[in-house]
Amino acid sequence: MDEIAIARTVTVAAGPFAAGHLGELTRLVPFEMIDDVLAATRRTQRRVRLLPARVVVYLLLAGCLFADCGYRQVWAKLVAGLRGLPVADPSDSALRQARQRLGPAPLRALFDLLRGPAATSAVAAVRWRGLLPLVVDGTMIAVADSPANLGRYGKHRCNNGGSGYPTLRLSALLTCGTRSVIDAVFDPSTTGEITQAHRLTRSLPAGMLLLADRNYAAADLIGAFTATGADLLIRCKSGRKLPMTRRCRDGSWLSVIDGQPVRIIEARISITTTAGSHTGDYRLITTLLDPRRYPAADLVRLYHQRWEIETAYLELKSTILGGRVLRARTPDGVDQEIHALLIVYQVLRTAMVDATDSRPGLDPDRASFTTALHAARDQITQAAGIIADTVIDLVGAIGERVLTDLLPDRRIRFKARMIKRSNSRYQTRGPRIDRRTYKATTSIDVITNDP
């Protein structure tokens, strides 16, 4: 019987630092970056322990890639490809104490370094008429039900009592084209999205076009957004009384909100399939006042990209976390874990954009987040691609997997949000959910009735 032996070389850091890696993603979060962050936050160990601070940072990041594992199991993943090397075998207690020594500051600083729009050559896919579309929205994330967490993050009140776990509210600012994280903040669920949005204005420079739901159409928030130099495209309630100062040729009209000139677009959107048609009315507020350069119908079509942040939250909460609560049982641990989660999401997105950029004209939407996540996990357990060769391959093994398993072109979204898996037996008694996929035709009519 013919046999073949496969030998491979694994290059890692020396000594007790060997277990500190993120597989191929280490190239995006290199040793030098971690060391600089630790030095800036004064968290570099005074003496080299069995668990150096750099290794603990990589442990926290790897923990987000393996959200179904305890930290002992995550450690086993990190050292699985290092057989033959004298690596430590820390206990649960040692790993916990190492995370507590590290604290949340290094992860916050690392997130600040990595956040921002991904560099891409796919300008047509990520920009709109010279502007970079962004989206802001919030979501709730459950944390471990411990006395320490309850002191900081209360349980969310519901009609039928409190929720099972304490919750925090996360608000993020994302690019629509690549779903890269521009900024993010989180607080107890008692802090509202509007309060968090005011803090996110720190990351809104000129040249951005912010998309947001009608919850963000408050006059003071619009003023805070526009003060940054960014432009807005926000949905607002159809019954809101706004004065008309002038009607534009495309059917939109100019108005003023708290001294800020705005343009109002009212549109009727109809979606037709073989199963019938559905029609809904939308009212949008924008600071793009020139109807020739920014036609009303084009802005209505662009607003559909607001849903990109819903997809991003699905990837965070379902694809990465698998619907699980966060592990950390203290507020500082929650701070660590949230920032680690955002960092891992950001570097995965960067790896995906690097892959799609290698093929000119390929839309970043075609890259599968699930494929990238599984490929990144495999690279960790194999300890592969940790230290780059002299010739750097921006695509790498993760990118090759992404390009091999591209998603089809994005379909038109035509179904309303719905509960697919109910927590209550009463919700399941509603109308039957049609899960079929239809070819759809969308028509947009700008309404010209006086307000």
Side-chain angles (χ1 to χ4, degrees), residues 74-95:
V74 175
W75 180 266
K77 302 284 187 182
L78 289 172
V79 301
L82 306 181
R83 292 183 180 179
L85 291 181
V87 294
D89 184 20
S91 64
D92 285 328
S93 177
L95 292 173

Side-chain angles (χ1 to χ4, degrees), residues 198-214:
H198 276 282
R199 290 158 57 194
L200 290 172
T201 57
R202 66 194 181 193
S203 300
L204 270 180
M208 307 290 186
L209 176 58
L210 181 65
L211 281 56
D213 202 358
R214 50 192 165 195

Side-chain angles (χ1 to χ4, degrees), residues 386-401:
I386 297 173
I387 298 177
D389 296 329
T390 53
V391 178
I392 299 176
D393 180 10
L394 290 179
V395 176
I398 297 174
E400 288 178 1
R401 290 268 292 274

Side-chain angles (χ1 to χ4, degrees), residues 218-382:
D220 63 331
L221 187 55
I222 289 176
F225 284 150
T226 55
T228 66
D231 287 295
L232 310 178
L233 182 61
I234 302 178
R235 187 180 179 186
C236 79
K237 295 180 180 179
S238 58
R240 185 171 180 176
K241 299 296 183 181
L242 296 171
M244 177 191 292
T245 60
R246 183 168 65 86
R247 173 73 72 178
C248 301
R249 291 184 177 181
D250 63 353
S252 61
W253 43 280
L254 303 183
S255 185
V256 177
I257 296 178
D258 200 21
Q260 171 65 44
V262 295
R263 182 164 149 235
I264 310 300
I265 302 169
E266 295 184 297
R268 181 162 293 142
I269 302 176
S270 299
I271 299 178
T272 304
T273 69
T274 54
S277 62
H278 175 76
T279 301
D281 292 345
Y282 281 74
R283 175 189 271 192
L284 303 178
I285 298 172
T286 183
T287 55
L288 300 173
L289 306 181
D290 188 348
R292 293 185 179 179
R293 188 174 181 183
Y294 309 106
D298 290 353
L299 285 167
V300 174
R301 292 187 185 93
L302 176 67
Y303 183 74
H304 184 76
Q305 292 194 26
R306 192 200 73 78
W307 286 96
E308 297 295 339
I309 197 166
E310 305 290 352
T311 303
Y313 284 147
L314 176 70
E315 291 164 344
L316 279 171
K317 297 165 65 175
S318 182
T319 308
I320 294 181
L321 292 177
R324 299 174 181 84
V325 301
L326 299 183
R327 299 183 186 87
R329 302 186 67 80
T330 64
D332 279 353
V334 170
D335 197 324
Q336 278 184 334
E337 197 168 351
I338 283 289
H339 283 104
L341 183 65
L342 293 169
I343 291 165
V344 165
Y345 181 82
Q346 182 77 341
V347 295
L348 282 171
R349 279 276 154 208
T350 302
M352 293 163 66
V353 172
D354 287 345
T356 55
D357 262 14
S358 68
R359 292 187 184 178
L362 184 60
D363 195 320
D365 279 343
R366 299 281 307 281
S368 167
F369 186 83
T370 301
T371 298
L373 175 62
H374 287 297
R377 289 170 175 169
D378 292 343
Q379 294 296 294
I380 286 180
T381 56
Q382 297 170 17

Side-chain angles (χ1 to χ4, degrees), residues 46 50 55 126 131 165 185 224 243 255 268 318 332 379 401:
R46 294 181 181 179
L50 292 178
V55 175
V126 301
L131 300 171
Y165 291 92
V185 295
S255 185
R268 181 162 293 142
S318 182
D332 279 353
Q379 294 296 294
R401 290 268 292 274

Side-chain angles (χ1 to χ4, degrees), residues 50-124:
L50 292 178
L51 292 173
R54 183 210 294 171
V55 175
V56 180
V57 172
Y58 283 117
L59 173 71
L60 286 163
L61 298 178
C64 295
L65 288 169
F66 298 99
D68 59 335
C69 298
Y71 279 111
R72 277 272 296 168
Q73 294 171 303
V74 175
W75 180 266
K77 302 284 187 182
L78 289 172
V79 301
L82 306 181
R83 292 183 180 179
L85 291 181
V87 294
D89 184 20
S91 64
D92 285 328
S93 177
L95 292 173
R96 182 180 68 254
Q97 292 174 29
R99 299 195 306 274
Q100 291 172 345
R101 282 195 305 269
L102 184 71
L107 277 300
R108 291 181 201 154
L110 185 58
F111 173 66
D112 280 337
L113 276 178
L114 293 170
R115 66 185 177 92
T120 175
S121 60
V123 177

